Amino acid sequence: MLQELKKKSFQSSLKLTIFLTIIGLILVVFFTRNALYAITGFTDPAQFNAFDGKPDELLNRCYPILLFIGGIALLGIAVYRLIKGARGGFLRSLMRDIANAGYTESAIDSDYAGAKIMDKWGIRLGQLMIYDISSTKARAIPNTKILWAYTDLQSYPTKYGRDIHVNTLVLHVEGEAKEYRMVFSEKANATQMLQQINEKFPWVVTEYSEKLKKLFNQNRAEFMQLRYHTCEHLPL
């Protein structure tokens, strides 16, 4: 299971890595010569004094150097991502999640293999854990630790007059300071996931209201008495 996810996380990181490499190469190739000329000009007081020159002249000499340095930095980041991906570095959070949950490797392999695929972007619902491999930073959320789950549709306006809609399933997990958001390709998939959680894990609150939000933030112990501490933590 981990070898499969290692390969997938590496492949999903390649697009950004290749993009960074291309931009870095373009900057280095096109601005190396200008950067060298600019540096030579800075080191020759007879030609130019950086502190006495005009602002626009200083800017013209500085920008090729900055772009050249930016290109080198992007190439460095790309190489770092390649090494990190090849070593499985993008799975550190997932491996930590599994270790903290206390399950054996064989149990996780079996759970992942039998988990139901809930979205084409890489979200699976198992009996033991929820697996989110929709991004390079894969996570595994133990089902027994989920306190609260609900869907949330966020809209972001664009300059073209159309909004971008992001379909998410929000999970509040015991021991986690921040909420965890899983992004789905379609709203229906997020809704179906929530329904599955409600049916399989009776200790999870699966609705949203401002009253519940206030109770969760101000009196966590009482919130957990709604369902979490009143049900046996065995999936149905």
Side-chain angles (χ1 to χ4, degrees), residues 17-96:
T17 302
I18 293 173
F19 175 76
L20 293 175
T21 302
I22 293 173
I23 299 300
L25 286 173
I26 290 175
L27 293 177
V28 170
V29 170
F30 281 93
F31 290 98
T32 297
R33 185 178 180 183
N34 290 340
L36 290 175
Y37 281 148
I39 293 173
T40 302
F42 280 139
T43 58
D44 187 353
Q47 293 184 21
F48 181 70
N49 187 325
F51 297 100
D52 295 335
K54 297 179 181 179
D56 56 343
E57 188 176 1
L58 176 62
L59 179 62
N60 289 335
R61 285 186 177 273
C62 284
Y63 90 86
I65 298 175
L66 295 176
L67 290 176
F68 173 76
I69 294 174
I72 295 295
L74 290 177
L75 289 176
I77 294 173
V79 172
Y80 167 77
R81 287 178 61 85
L82 280 175
I83 296 174
K84 181 179 179 180
R87 293 182 174 180
F90 294 118
L91 296 182
R92 288 178 182 175
S93 296
L94 180 138
M95 295 174 69
R96 184 177 63 247

Coordinates of all heavy atoms in Angstrom, one line a residue, residues 17-96:
T17 N 6.8 20.1 -10.4 CA 8.3 20.0 -10.4 C 8.8 20.4 -11.8 O 9.8 21.1 -12.0 CB 8.8 18.6 -10.0 OG1 8.3 18.3 -8.7 CG2 10.3 18.5 -10.1
I18 N 8.1 19.8 -12.9 CA 8.5 20.1 -14.2 C 8.3 21.6 -14.6 O 9.1 22.2 -15.2 CB 7.7 19.2 -15.2 CG1 8.1 17.7 -15.0 CG2 7.9 19.6 -16.6 CD1 7.3 16.8 -15.8
F19 N 7.2 22.1 -14.1 CA 6.9 23.5 -14.3 C 8.0 24.4 -13.7 O 8.4 25.4 -14.3 CB 5.5 23.9 -13.7 CG 5.2 25.4 -13.8 CD1 4.8 25.9 -15.0 CD2 5.3 26.2 -12.6 CE1 4.4 27.3 -15.0 CE2 5.0 27.5 -12.7 CZ 4.5 28.1 -13.9
L20 N 8.4 24.1 -12.5 CA 9.4 24.9 -11.8 C 10.7 24.8 -12.6 O 11.5 25.8 -12.7 CB 9.6 24.4 -10.4 CG 8.4 24.7 -9.4 CD1 8.7 24.0 -8.0 CD2 8.2 26.2 -9.2
T21 N 11.0 23.6 -13.1 CA 12.3 23.4 -13.8 C 12.3 24.2 -15.1 O 13.3 24.8 -15.4 CB 12.4 21.9 -14.2 OG1 12.4 21.1 -13.0 CG2 13.7 21.6 -14.9
I22 N 11.2 24.2 -15.8 CA 11.1 24.9 -17.1 C 11.3 26.4 -16.9 O 12.1 27.1 -17.5 CB 9.8 24.6 -17.8 CG1 9.7 23.2 -18.3 CG2 9.6 25.6 -19.0 CD1 8.4 22.8 -18.9
I23 N 10.5 27.0 -15.9 CA 10.6 28.4 -15.6 C 12.1 28.7 -15.1 O 12.6 29.8 -15.5 CB 9.6 28.8 -14.5 CG1 8.2 28.6 -15.0 CG2 9.8 30.3 -14.2 CD1 7.8 29.3 -16.3
G24 N 12.6 27.9 -14.3 CA 14.0 28.1 -13.8 C 15.0 28.1 -14.9 O 15.9 29.0 -15.0
L25 N 14.9 27.2 -15.9 CA 15.8 27.1 -17.0 C 15.7 28.3 -17.9 O 16.7 28.9 -18.4 CB 15.5 25.8 -17.8 CG 16.0 24.5 -17.2 CD1 15.6 23.3 -18.0 CD2 17.5 24.5 -17.0
I26 N 14.4 28.7 -18.1 CA 14.2 29.9 -19.0 C 14.9 31.2 -18.3 O 15.6 31.9 -19.0 CB 12.7 30.2 -19.1 CG1 12.1 29.1 -20.0 CG2 12.4 31.6 -19.8 CD1 10.6 29.2 -20.2
L27 N 14.7 31.3 -17.1 CA 15.3 32.5 -16.4 C 16.8 32.4 -16.4 O 17.5 33.4 -16.7 CB 14.8 32.6 -14.9 CG 13.3 32.9 -14.7 CD1 13.0 32.9 -13.3 CD2 13.0 34.2 -15.3
V28 N 17.4 31.3 -16.2 CA 18.8 31.1 -16.2 C 19.4 31.3 -17.6 O 20.4 32.1 -17.7 CB 19.2 29.7 -15.6 CG1 20.7 29.5 -15.8 CG2 18.9 29.6 -14.1
V29 N 18.8 30.7 -18.6 CA 19.3 30.8 -19.9 C 19.2 32.2 -20.5 O 20.2 32.7 -21.1 CB 18.5 29.9 -20.9 CG1 18.9 30.1 -22.3 CG2 18.9 28.4 -20.5
F30 N 18.1 32.9 -20.2 CA 17.9 34.2 -20.8 C 18.6 35.4 -20.0 O 18.8 36.4 -20.6 CB 16.4 34.5 -21.0 CG 15.8 33.9 -22.2 CD1 15.2 32.6 -22.1 CD2 15.9 34.4 -23.4 CE1 14.7 32.0 -23.1 CE2 15.3 33.8 -24.5 CZ 14.7 32.6 -24.4
F31 N 18.9 35.1 -18.8 CA 19.4 36.3 -18.0 C 20.8 36.1 -17.4 O 21.3 36.9 -16.7 CB 18.4 36.5 -16.8 CG 17.1 37.1 -17.3 CD1 16.0 36.3 -17.4 CD2 17.0 38.5 -17.6 CE1 14.8 36.8 -17.9 CE2 15.8 39.0 -18.0 CZ 14.7 38.2 -18.2
T32 N 21.4 34.9 -17.7 CA 22.8 34.7 -17.2 C 23.8 35.8 -17.8 O 24.5 36.4 -17.0 CB 23.3 33.3 -17.7 OG1 22.5 32.3 -17.0 CG2 24.8 33.1 -17.2
R33 N 23.7 36.0 -19.1 CA 24.6 37.0 -19.7 C 24.4 38.4 -19.2 O 25.3 39.1 -18.8 CB 24.4 37.0 -21.2 CG 25.4 37.9 -22.0 CD 25.1 37.8 -23.5 NE 26.0 38.6 -24.2 CZ 26.0 38.7 -25.5 NH1 25.2 38.0 -26.3 NH2 26.9 39.5 -26.1
N34 N 23.1 38.8 -19.1 CA 22.8 40.2 -18.6 C 23.2 40.3 -17.1 O 23.6 41.4 -16.7 CB 21.3 40.4 -18.8 CG 20.9 40.6 -20.2 OD1 21.7 40.9 -21.0 ND2 19.6 40.5 -20.5
A35 N 23.0 39.2 -16.4 CA 23.4 39.3 -15.0 C 24.9 39.5 -14.8 O 25.3 40.2 -14.0 CB 22.9 38.0 -14.2
L36 N 25.6 38.8 -15.6 CA 27.1 38.9 -15.6 C 27.5 40.3 -15.9 O 28.4 40.9 -15.3 CB 27.8 37.9 -16.5 CG 27.7 36.4 -16.0 CD1 28.2 35.5 -17.1 CD2 28.4 36.2 -14.7
Y37 N 26.9 40.9 -17.0 CA 27.2 42.3 -17.4 C 26.9 43.2 -16.2 O 27.6 44.2 -15.9 CB 26.5 42.6 -18.6 CG 27.1 42.1 -19.9 CD1 26.3 41.8 -21.0 CD2 28.5 41.9 -20.0 CE1 26.9 41.3 -22.2 CE2 29.0 41.4 -21.2 CZ 28.2 41.1 -22.2 OH 28.8 40.6 -23.4
A38 N 25.7 43.0 -15.6 CA 25.3 43.9 -14.5 C 26.3 43.8 -13.3 O 26.6 44.8 -12.7 CB 23.9 43.5 -14.1
I39 N 26.7 42.6 -13.0 CA 27.6 42.4 -11.9 C 29.0 43.0 -12.2 O 29.6 43.7 -11.4 CB 27.8 40.9 -11.6 CG1 26.5 40.3 -11.0 CG2 29.0 40.7 -10.6 CD1 26.6 38.8 -10.9
T40 N 29.4 42.9 -13.5 CA 30.6 43.5 -13.9 C 30.6 45.0 -13.8 O 31.5 45.7 -13.4 CB 31.0 43.2 -15.4 OG1 31.1 41.7 -15.4 CG2 32.3 43.8 -15.8
G41 N 29.4 45.6 -14.1 CA 29.2 47.0 -14.0 C 29.2 47.5 -12.6 O 29.8 48.5 -12.3
F42 N 28.7 46.7 -11.7 CA 28.7 47.1 -10.3 C 30.1 47.1 -9.7 O 30.4 47.9 -8.9 CB 27.9 46.1 -9.4 CG 26.4 46.3 -9.5 CD1 25.5 45.3 -9.6 CD2 25.9 47.6 -9.5 CE1 24.1 45.5 -9.7 CE2 24.5 47.9 -9.6 CZ 23.7 46.8 -9.7
T43 N 30.9 46.2 -10.2 CA 32.3 46.1 -9.7 C 33.3 47.0 -10.3 O 34.4 47.1 -9.9 CB 32.8 44.6 -9.9 OG1 32.8 44.3 -11.3 CG2 32.0 43.7 -9.1
D44 N 32.8 47.8 -11.3 CA 33.7 48.8 -12.0 C 33.2 50.2 -11.6 O 32.3 50.7 -12.3 CB 33.7 48.5 -13.5 CG 34.7 49.4 -14.2 OD1 35.3 50.3 -13.6 OD2 34.9 49.2 -15.4
P45 N 33.8 50.8 -10.7 CA 33.3 52.2 -10.3 C 33.4 53.2 -11.4 O 32.6 54.2 -11.4 CB 34.3 52.6 -9.1 CG 34.9 51.3 -8.7 CD 35.0 50.4 -9.9
A46 N 34.3 53.0 -12.3 CA 34.4 53.9 -13.4 C 33.2 53.9 -14.3 O 32.8 54.9 -15.0 CB 35.7 53.6 -14.3
Q47 N 32.5 52.8 -14.4 CA 31.3 52.6 -15.2 C 30.0 53.0 -14.5 O 29.2 53.6 -15.0 CB 31.2 51.2 -15.8 CG 32.4 50.8 -16.7 CD 32.2 49.5 -17.3 OE1 31.1 48.9 -17.3 NE2 33.3 48.9 -17.8
F48 N 30.0 52.5 -13.2 CA 28.7 52.7 -12.5 C 28.9 52.6 -11.0 O 29.6 51.8 -10.5 CB 27.7 51.7 -13.0 CG 26.3 51.8 -12.3 CD1 25.5 52.8 -12.7 CD2 25.9 50.9 -11.4 CE1 24.3 53.0 -12.1 CE2 24.7 51.0 -10.8 CZ 23.9 52.0 -11.1
N49 N 28.2 53.5 -10.3 CA 28.2 53.5 -8.8 C 26.8 53.2 -8.4 O 25.9 54.1 -8.7 CB 28.7 54.8 -8.3 CG 28.9 54.8 -6.7 OD1 28.1 54.1 -6.1 ND2 29.9 55.4 -6.2
A50 N 26.5 52.1 -7.8 CA 25.2 51.7 -7.5 C 24.5 52.6 -6.6 O 23.3 52.8 -6.6 CB 25.2 50.3 -6.9
F51 N 25.2 53.4 -5.7 CA 24.6 54.2 -4.8 C 24.4 55.7 -5.3 O 23.6 56.4 -4.8 CB 25.5 54.3 -3.5 CG 25.6 53.0 -2.8 CD1 26.7 52.2 -3.0 CD2 24.6 52.5 -2.0 CE1 26.8 51.0 -2.4 CE2 24.7 51.2 -1.4 CZ 25.8 50.5 -1.6
D52 N 25.1 56.0 -6.4 CA 25.0 57.3 -6.9 C 24.2 57.4 -8.2 O 23.8 58.4 -8.7 CB 26.4 57.9 -7.2 CG 27.2 58.1 -5.9 OD1 26.5 58.3 -4.9 OD2 28.4 58.2 -6.0
G53 N 23.9 56.2 -8.7 CA 23.1 56.1 -10.0 C 21.7 56.5 -9.8 O 21.1 56.6 -8.7
K54 N 21.0 56.7 -11.0 CA 19.6 57.0 -11.0 C 18.8 55.8 -10.6 O 19.2 54.7 -10.9 CB 19.2 57.6 -12.3 CG 19.9 58.9 -12.7 CD 19.5 59.3 -14.1 CE 20.2 60.6 -14.5 NZ 19.8 61.1 -15.8
P55 N 17.6 56.0 -10.0 CA 16.8 54.8 -9.6 C 16.5 53.9 -10.8 O 16.5 52.7 -10.6 CB 15.6 55.4 -9.0 CG 16.0 56.8 -8.5 CD 17.0 57.2 -9.5
D56 N 16.1 54.4 -11.9 CA 15.8 53.6 -13.1 C 17.0 52.9 -13.6 O 16.9 51.7 -14.1 CB 15.1 54.4 -14.2 CG 15.9 55.6 -14.6 OD1 16.9 55.9 -13.9 OD2 15.7 56.1 -15.7
E57 N 18.1 53.5 -13.6 CA 19.3 52.8 -14.0 C 19.7 51.7 -13.1 O 20.2 50.6 -13.5 CB 20.5 53.9 -14.1 CG 21.7 53.3 -14.8 CD 22.8 54.4 -14.9 OE1 22.6 55.5 -14.5 OE2 23.9 54.0 -15.5
L58 N 19.6 51.9 -11.8 CA 19.8 50.9 -10.8 C 18.9 49.7 -11.0 O 19.3 48.6 -10.9 CB 19.7 51.5 -9.4 CG 19.8 50.5 -8.2 CD1 21.2 49.9 -8.2 CD2 19.6 51.2 -6.9
L59 N 17.6 50.0 -11.2 CA 16.7 48.9 -11.4 C 17.0 48.1 -12.7 O 16.9 46.9 -12.7 CB 15.2 49.5 -11.6 CG 14.1 48.5 -11.9 CD1 14.0 47.6 -10.7 CD2 12.8 49.3 -12.1
N60 N 17.4 48.8 -13.8 CA 17.8 48.1 -15.0 C 19.0 47.2 -14.8 O 19.1 46.1 -15.4 CB 18.1 49.1 -16.1 CG 16.8 49.8 -16.6 OD1 15.7 49.2 -16.5 ND2 17.0 51.0 -17.1
R61 N 19.9 47.5 -13.9 CA 21.0 46.7 -13.6 C 20.7 45.6 -12.6 O 21.3 44.5 -12.7 CB 22.2 47.5 -13.1 CG 22.9 48.4 -14.1 CD 24.1 49.1 -13.5 NE 24.8 49.8 -14.5 CZ 25.7 49.3 -15.3 NH1 26.1 48.0 -15.2 NH2 26.4 50.0 -16.2
C62 N 19.7 45.8 -11.7 CA 19.4 44.8 -10.7 C 18.5 43.7 -11.2 O 18.6 42.6 -10.8 CB 18.7 45.5 -9.5 SG 19.9 46.4 -8.4
Y63 N 17.5 44.0 -12.1 CA 16.5 43.0 -12.4 C 17.0 41.8 -13.0 O 16.6 40.7 -12.7 CB 15.4 43.7 -13.2 CG 15.5 43.6 -14.7 CD1 15.1 42.5 -15.4 CD2 16.0 44.7 -15.4 CE1 15.2 42.5 -16.8 CE2 16.2 44.7 -16.7 CZ 15.7 43.6 -17.4 OH 15.9 43.5 -18.8
P64 N 18.1 41.9 -14.0 CA 18.6 40.6 -14.5 C 19.3 39.7 -13.5 O 19.2 38.5 -13.5 CB 19.5 41.1 -15.6 CG 19.9 42.4 -15.3 CD 18.7 43.0 -14.6
I65 N 19.9 40.4 -12.5 CA 20.6 39.6 -11.4 C 19.5 38.9 -10.6 O 19.6 37.7 -10.3 CB 21.4 40.6 -10.5 CG1 22.5 41.2 -11.4 CG2 22.0 39.8 -9.4 CD1 23.3 42.2 -10.6
L66 N 18.4 39.6 -10.2 CA 17.4 39.1 -9.4 C 16.7 37.9 -10.2 O 16.4 36.9 -9.5 CB 16.4 40.1 -9.0 CG 16.9 41.2 -8.1 CD1 15.8 42.3 -7.9 CD2 17.4 40.7 -6.8
L67 N 16.4 38.1 -11.4 CA 15.8 37.0 -12.2 C 16.7 35.8 -12.4 O 16.2 34.7 -12.3 CB 15.4 37.6 -13.6 CG 14.2 38.6 -13.6 CD1 14.0 39.1 -15.0 CD2 13.0 38.0 -13.0
F68 N 18.0 36.1 -12.5 CA 18.9 34.9 -12.6 C 19.0 34.2 -11.3 O 18.9 32.9 -11.3 CB 20.3 35.5 -12.9 CG 21.4 34.4 -12.9 CD1 21.5 33.5 -13.9 CD2 22.3 34.4 -11.8 CE1 22.5 32.5 -13.8 CE2 23.3 33.4 -11.7 CZ 23.4 32.5 -12.7
I69 N 19.0 34.9 -10.2 CA 19.0 34.2 -8.9 C 17.7 33.5 -8.7 O 17.7 32.4 -8.1 CB 19.2 35.3 -7.8 CG1 20.6 35.9 -7.8 CG2 19.0 34.7 -6.4 CD1 20.9 37.0 -6.9
G70 N 16.6 34.1 -9.1 CA 15.3 33.4 -9.0 C 15.2 32.1 -9.8 O 14.7 31.1 -9.3
G71 N 15.8 32.1 -11.0 CA 15.9 30.9 -11.8 C 16.7 29.8 -11.1 O 16.3 28.6 -11.1
I72 N 17.8 30.2 -10.5 CA 18.6 29.2 -9.8 C 17.8 28.6 -8.6 O 17.9 27.4 -8.3 CB 19.9 29.9 -9.3 CG1 20.8 30.3 -10.4 CG2 20.7 28.9 -8.3 CD1 21.3 29.1 -11.3
A73 N 17.1 29.5 -7.9 CA 16.3 29.1 -6.7 C 15.2 28.1 -7.2 O 15.0 27.1 -6.5 CB 15.7 30.3 -6.0
L74 N 14.6 28.4 -8.3 CA 13.5 27.5 -8.8 C 14.1 26.1 -9.2 O 13.5 25.1 -8.9 CB 12.8 28.1 -10.0 CG 11.9 29.3 -9.7 CD1 11.3 29.9 -11.0 CD2 10.8 28.9 -8.7
L75 N 15.3 26.1 -9.8 CA 15.9 24.8 -10.1 C 16.3 24.1 -8.9 O 16.1 22.8 -8.8 CB 17.2 25.1 -11.0 CG 16.9 25.6 -12.4 CD1 18.2 25.9 -13.1 CD2 16.1 24.5 -13.2
G76 N 16.7 24.8 -7.9 CA 17.0 24.1 -6.6 C 15.8 23.5 -5.9 O 15.9 22.4 -5.4
I77 N 14.7 24.2 -6.0 CA 13.4 23.7 -5.4 C 13.0 22.5 -6.2 O 12.5 21.5 -5.6 CB 12.3 24.8 -5.4 CG1 12.7 25.9 -4.5 CG2 11.0 24.2 -5.1 CD1 11.8 27.1 -4.6
A78 N 13.1 22.5 -7.5 CA 12.7 21.4 -8.4 C 13.6 20.1 -8.0 O 13.0 19.0 -7.9 CB 12.9 21.7 -9.9
V79 N 14.9 20.3 -7.9 CA 15.7 19.2 -7.5 C 15.4 18.6 -6.2 O 15.3 17.4 -6.0 CB 17.2 19.6 -7.5 CG1 18.1 18.5 -7.0 CG2 17.6 20.0 -9.0
Y80 N 15.1 19.5 -5.2 CA 14.7 19.1 -3.9 C 13.4 18.3 -3.9 O 13.3 17.2 -3.2 CB 14.5 20.3 -3.0 CG 13.8 20.1 -1.7 CD1 14.5 19.5 -0.6 CD2 12.4 20.4 -1.5 CE1 13.8 19.2 0.6 CE2 11.8 20.1 -0.3 CZ 12.5 19.5 0.7 OH 11.8 19.3 1.9
R81 N 12.4 18.7 -4.7 CA 11.1 18.0 -4.8 C 11.3 16.6 -5.5 O 10.7 15.7 -5.1 CB 10.1 18.8 -5.6 CG 9.6 20.0 -4.9 CD 8.6 20.8 -5.8 NE 7.5 20.0 -6.2 CZ 6.4 19.8 -5.5 NH1 6.3 20.4 -4.3 NH2 5.4 19.1 -5.9
L82 N 12.2 16.5 -6.4 CA 12.5 15.2 -7.1 C 13.1 14.3 -6.0 O 12.7 13.1 -6.0 CB 13.5 15.4 -8.2 CG 12.9 15.9 -9.6 CD1 14.0 16.1 -10.6 CD2 11.9 14.9 -10.1
I83 N 14.1 14.7 -5.3 CA 14.7 13.9 -4.3 C 13.7 13.5 -3.2 O 13.6 12.3 -2.8 CB 15.9 14.6 -3.6 CG1 17.0 14.8 -4.7 CG2 16.5 13.8 -2.5 CD1 18.2 15.7 -4.2
K84 N 12.9 14.5 -2.7 CA 11.9 14.2 -1.7 C 10.9 13.2 -2.2 O 10.5 12.3 -1.4 CB 11.2 15.5 -1.3 CG 10.2 15.4 -0.2 CD 9.6 16.7 0.2 CE 8.5 16.6 1.3 NZ 7.9 17.9 1.7
G85 N 10.4 13.4 -3.4 CA 9.4 12.5 -3.9 C 9.9 11.1 -4.1 O 9.2 10.1 -3.8
A86 N 11.2 10.9 -4.6 CA 11.8 9.6 -4.8 C 12.0 8.9 -3.5 O 11.9 7.7 -3.5 CB 13.1 9.8 -5.5
R87 N 12.2 9.6 -2.4 CA 12.4 9.0 -1.1 C 11.1 8.8 -0.3 O 11.1 8.4 0.8 CB 13.4 9.9 -0.3 CG 14.8 9.9 -0.8 CD 15.7 10.7 0.1 NE 17.1 10.6 -0.4 CZ 18.1 11.2 0.2 NH1 17.9 12.0 1.3 NH2 19.3 11.1 -0.2
G88 N 10.0 9.2 -0.9 CA 8.7 9.1 -0.2 C 8.4 10.2 0.8 O 7.6 10.0 1.7
G89 N 9.1 11.3 0.6 CA 8.9 12.4 1.6 C 7.6 13.0 1.7 O 7.2 13.5 2.7
F90 N 6.8 12.8 0.6 CA 5.4 13.4 0.6 C 4.5 12.5 1.4 O 3.3 12.9 1.6 CB 4.9 13.5 -0.8 CG 5.7 14.6 -1.6 CD1 6.3 14.2 -2.8 CD2 5.7 15.9 -1.3 CE1 7.0 15.1 -3.5 CE2 6.4 16.8 -2.0 CZ 7.1 16.4 -3.1
L91 N 4.9 11.4 1.9 CA 4.0 10.5 2.7 C 4.3 10.6 4.2 O 3.8 9.8 4.9 CB 4.2 9.0 2.2 CG 3.8 8.7 0.8 CD1 4.0 7.2 0.5 CD2 2.4 9.1 0.5
R92 N 5.1 11.5 4.6 CA 5.5 11.6 6.0 C 4.3 11.8 6.9 O 4.1 11.2 7.9 CB 6.5 12.7 6.2 CG 7.9 12.3 5.7 CD 8.9 13.5 5.9 NE 10.2 13.2 5.4 CZ 11.2 14.0 5.3 NH1 11.0 15.3 5.8 NH2 12.4 13.7 4.8
S93 N 3.4 12.7 6.4 CA 2.2 13.0 7.2 C 1.3 11.7 7.3 O 0.8 11.4 8.4 CB 1.4 14.1 6.6 OG 2.1 15.3 6.7
L94 N 1.1 11.0 6.2 CA 0.3 9.8 6.2 C 0.9 8.7 7.1 O 0.2 8.1 7.8 CB 0.2 9.3 4.8 CG -0.7 8.0 4.6 CD1 -1.6 8.1 3.4 CD2 0.2 6.8 4.4
M95 N 2.2 8.5 7.0 CA 2.9 7.5 7.8 C 2.8 7.9 9.3 O 2.6 7.0 10.2 CB 4.4 7.4 7.4 CG 4.5 6.8 6.0 SD 6.2 6.8 5.3 CE 6.9 5.5 6.4
R96 N 2.9 9.2 9.6 CA 2.7 9.6 11.0 C 1.3 9.3 11.5 O 1.0 8.9 12.6 CB 3.0 11.1 11.1 CG 3.0 11.6 12.6 CD 3.4 13.0 12.7 NE 2.5 13.9 11.9 CZ 2.9 14.6 10.9 NH1 4.1 14.5 10.4 NH2 2.0 15.4 10.2

